[in-house]
Amino acid sequence: MVKTLTYPLLSAYNIPGSDNEEPVVCIFDFPPDPVLLEKFQPENTVPTGLEIGWDKLYLGIPRLRAGVPATLAWMPRSLPPGVSPVLQAYPDWSWHSAGRGDINCTGLISVYRVRADQCNRLWVLDAGVTTSIDDFRRVCPPKILIFDMATDRLVRSVYFPRELLRPSSLLTNIVLDHSRAGSNRHSTTCDNIFAYISDTVAPGLIVYDGGRDNAWRVTHASMYPDPDLGEYDIGGERFTLMDGVVGLAHSPAQGLLYYQPLATDRLFSVSTAVLASGPPAEGSDLPVNLVGRKSSQGLGIAVDPRDDTIIFSPLTETAIAAWNPVTNAHRVLAQDPEKLQFCAEVRWAERDNGAVWALSTRFHRYFRRAVSKNEINVRILRVVEGPSFVSLQPHVLRRSTWQNNSTTY
């Protein structure tokens, strides 16, 4: 059987199973700042991003609504399963003045996701937007801040040209591509890397060439939400959210970027060679392929680079599943109607011998303002393999059978 090791995080404002009726607000290791404490609203604090470091777990906690004290935090990996950790602001509280209402555009405003590169640096994608669910206030330009994970010091900042952004741009996800660095990956510079970034509300992808410090934008109809699939059903709870492209995963061996909008049951791919070749010619079509269709919508996806298996989490099935597009093999890695509600992240962890991790958030309840203080609402899970995985019904992810040249959708 397949087990999961669970870290209950932001676990209900009361400790489950205890007689404590008072709110538990010691979720963050707060500095002695009464303003920060006064503004903290735990019911609005929900992480969307997870990265696994050698000794730390990193969490992106965007300012979807007011009251988020730190938009990037970490916890030690050494905690035993079942422990609800106290979150530490990353790299320290001086970067999170927006939590007390002081906007400083050199600091961190709203972080959806972070990724570690092969030079042990943490790429932090900052959307620059606060209260994005309620009134979408752009307070700073979006940016990438790159920190040395050994020293927690900023080593590089990346700002995007204004012409790549739209009034409603919301940069939510980032994938790093080391494969295009070739044999120079470990040589003179760590910046010989490509990053692919999702713009969810003004659907498109931003391609960043770190070696040349250049960026461009690509778009395709497949990156937009499907109006027929904007309603979601998780355990009988329904909500509607018309989000475009947000799920991203990279296959170095196949040379593909996989992507999916939230509001779709389809998974698409595009060649990274095409993305990295520079801005598309005017009037040209991006060569997109339909990879397959899932049993329901989903957000987090990942690729196991050892065999190019795609790992994903269909929302309605509250499961983590795997599908190999080469062999068409299907597996269920974990399924739990309670613990796997709305997996915002599914990660194949290079720094954990290829283990699968997930961030389960019950985002649907946060979105509807229906969070219960008597339940665990956010979990970090690590999938532990038993003797065998459960076979998966083929309808959970179906291979695309119709290919027309290189573009199907």
Side-chain angles (χ1 to χ4, degrees):
M1 298 298 291
V2 176
K3 303 184 297 179
T4 58
L5 300 178
T6 308
Y7 301 85
L9 183 67
L10 309 182
S11 60
Y13 319 114
N14 294 337
I15 299 174
S18 75
D19 295 327
N20 184 3
E21 296 285 335
E22 297 298 320
V24 177
V25 296
C26 294
I27 298 171
F28 290 85
D29 185 12
F30 283 102
D33 187 334
V35 175
L36 196 63
L37 282 168
E38 180 184 0
K39 289 183 176 292
F40 177 39
Q41 298 183 46
E43 70 277 9
N44 290 344
T45 304
V46 54
T48 60
L50 171 67
E51 181 59 295
I52 296 91
W54 292 116
D55 56 356
K56 297 177 181 177
L57 302 178
Y58 300 87
L59 292 167
I61 311 171
R63 292 192 163 92
L64 305 176
R65 291 191 167 111
V68 177
T71 188
L72 179 58
W74 68 273
M75 55 177 277
R77 264 184 61 178
S78 59
L79 287 177
V83 172
S84 190
V86 176
L87 300 182
Q88 311 289 327
Y90 188 88
D92 58 54
W93 281 103
S94 68
W95 290 81
H96 300 273
S97 62
R100 63 194 316 278
D102 299 332
I103 301 299
N104 178 356
C105 290
T106 63
L108 293 170
I109 304 301
S110 188
V111 175
Y112 281 80
R113 283 172 183 84
V114 295
R115 292 291 180 262
D117 67 17
Q118 292 186 352
C119 289
N120 205 40
R121 303 182 307 174
L122 192 69
W123 292 55
V124 179
L125 180 63
D126 188 344
V129 174
T130 64
T131 56
S132 53
I133 288 180
D134 292 337
D135 56 10
F136 199 89
R137 290 197 305 124
R138 183 174 303 286
V139 296
C140 294
K143 61 182 179 291
I144 298 172
L145 298 180
I146 304 175
F147 293 90
D148 183 331
M149 296 167 68
T151 64
D152 299 329
R153 292 181 178 177
L154 181 69
V155 295
R156 190 175 183 186
S157 302
V158 177
Y159 292 87
F160 301 100
R162 184 174 298 179
E163 60 268 22
L164 301 187
L165 304 172
R166 306 294 180 262
S168 60
S169 283
L170 184 66
L171 307 188
T172 59
N173 206 345
I174 180 170
V175 164
L176 303 179
D177 180 0
H178 309 89
S179 65
R180 313 210 67 78
S183 60
N184 293 325
R185 187 178 67 185
H186 299 295
S187 60
T188 56
T189 176
C190 292
D191 293 327
N192 194 10
I193 187 174
F194 277 80
Y196 312 114
I197 300 147
S198 63
D199 188 341
T200 296
V201 180
L205 295 173
I206 292 177
V207 181
Y208 175 67
D209 181 347
R212 296 179 175 85
D213 194 25
N214 192 18
W216 51 92
R217 183 183 180 97
V218 299
T219 190
H220 189 270
S222 60
M223 299 175 189
Y224 284 74
D226 185 331
D228 295 326
L229 290 167
E231 184 181 58
Y232 315 89
D233 186 340
I234 302 176
E237 298 182 61
R238 295 179 179 270
F239 74 109
T240 300
L241 181 60
M242 295 300 294
D243 267 1
V245 58
V246 59
L248 299 177
H250 175 229
S251 169
Q254 299 291 328
L256 294 175
L257 178 72
Y258 295 107
Y259 66 86
Q260 60 185 10
L262 177 60
T264 189
D265 62 354
R266 302 183 181 194
L267 180 68
F268 302 93
S269 71
V270 61
S271 163
T272 54
V274 171
L275 293 177
S277 63
E282 185 175 355
S284 64
D285 292 327
L286 193 67
V288 169
N289 285 315
L290 172 62
V291 178
R293 303 186 71 168
K294 302 169 294 175
S295 54
S296 65
Q297 308 97 319
L299 200 162
I301 53 174
V303 169
D304 183 339
R306 296 171 297 190
D307 62 1
D308 288 305
T309 291
I310 299 170
I311 305 163
F312 62 104
S313 178
L315 291 180
T316 299
E317 289 71 24
T318 59
I320 300 173
W323 175 65
N324 189 300
V326 178
T327 65
N328 204 33
H330 299 73
R331 296 176 296 169
V332 168
L333 307 186
Q335 188 166 22
D336 192 301
E338 177 73 14
K339 295 180 180 178
L340 293 175
Q341 293 186 21
F342 201 101
C343 287
E345 281 269 54
V346 178
R347 306 285 290 127
W348 181 88
E350 180 182 9
R351 289 166 172 80
D352 189 21
N353 297 316
V356 174
W357 291 67
L359 174 63
S360 170
T361 67
R362 290 192 179 179
F363 171 81
H364 51 299
R365 293 192 179 178
Y366 285 88
F367 184 75
R368 297 170 49 244
R369 296 187 183 275
V371 175
S372 170
K373 66 180 182 179
N374 297 312
E375 298 175 333
I376 296 175
N377 294 291
V378 179
R379 292 176 170 91
I380 297 173
L381 304 106
R382 180 178 182 268
V383 177
V384 181
E385 296 187 29
S388 63
F389 285 108
V390 182
S391 63
L392 181 63
Q393 295 299 315
H395 73 274
V396 175
L397 181 58
R398 302 188 295 274
R399 189 202 306 264
S400 172
T401 56
W402 175 53
Q403 298 288 325
N404 178 16
N405 295 328
S406 60
T407 305
T408 60
Y409 55 91

PDB file of all heavy atoms in Angstrom, residues 49 102 172 193:
ATOM      1  N   GLY A  49       2.868  27.606  -2.993  1.00  0.00           N
ATOM      2  CA  GLY A  49       4.118  27.119  -3.564  1.00  0.00           C
ATOM      3  C   GLY A  49       4.931  26.322  -2.568  1.00  0.00           C
ATOM      4  O   GLY A  49       4.967  26.644  -1.375  1.00  0.00           O
ATOM      5  N   ASP A 102       3.531  48.445   4.840  1.00  0.00           N
ATOM      6  CA  ASP A 102       4.569  49.307   4.274  1.00  0.00           C
ATOM      7  C   ASP A 102       5.086  48.679   2.979  1.00  0.00           C
ATOM      8  O   ASP A 102       5.804  47.671   3.010  1.00  0.00           O
ATOM      9  CB  ASP A 102       5.730  49.472   5.259  1.00  0.00           C
ATOM     10  CG  ASP A 102       5.307  50.110   6.566  1.00  0.00           C
ATOM     11  OD1 ASP A 102       4.323  50.878   6.540  1.00  0.00           O
ATOM     12  OD2 ASP A 102       5.936  49.829   7.603  1.00  0.00           O
ATOM     13  N   THR A 172       2.488  33.557 -11.723  1.00  0.00           N
ATOM     14  CA  THR A 172       2.159  32.631 -10.643  1.00  0.00           C
ATOM     15  C   THR A 172       3.062  31.412 -10.546  1.00  0.00           C
ATOM     16  O   THR A 172       3.088  30.759  -9.509  1.00  0.00           O
ATOM     17  CB  THR A 172       0.722  32.123 -10.804  1.00  0.00           C
ATOM     18  OG1 THR A 172       0.606  31.464 -12.070  1.00  0.00           O
ATOM     19  CG2 THR A 172      -0.279  33.267 -10.715  1.00  0.00           C
ATOM     20  N   ILE A 193      20.843  29.716 -17.906  1.00  0.00           N
ATOM     21  CA  ILE A 193      19.648  28.965 -17.560  1.00  0.00           C
ATOM     22  C   ILE A 193      18.438  29.669 -18.167  1.00  0.00           C
ATOM     23  O   ILE A 193      18.454  30.895 -18.364  1.00  0.00           O
ATOM     24  CB  ILE A 193      19.526  28.862 -16.020  1.00  0.00           C
ATOM     25  CG1 ILE A 193      18.388  27.931 -15.589  1.00  0.00           C
ATOM     26  CG2 ILE A 193      19.333  30.226 -15.391  1.00  0.00           C
ATOM     27  CD1 ILE A 193      18.347  27.707 -14.085  1.00  0.00           C
TER      28      ILE A 193
END
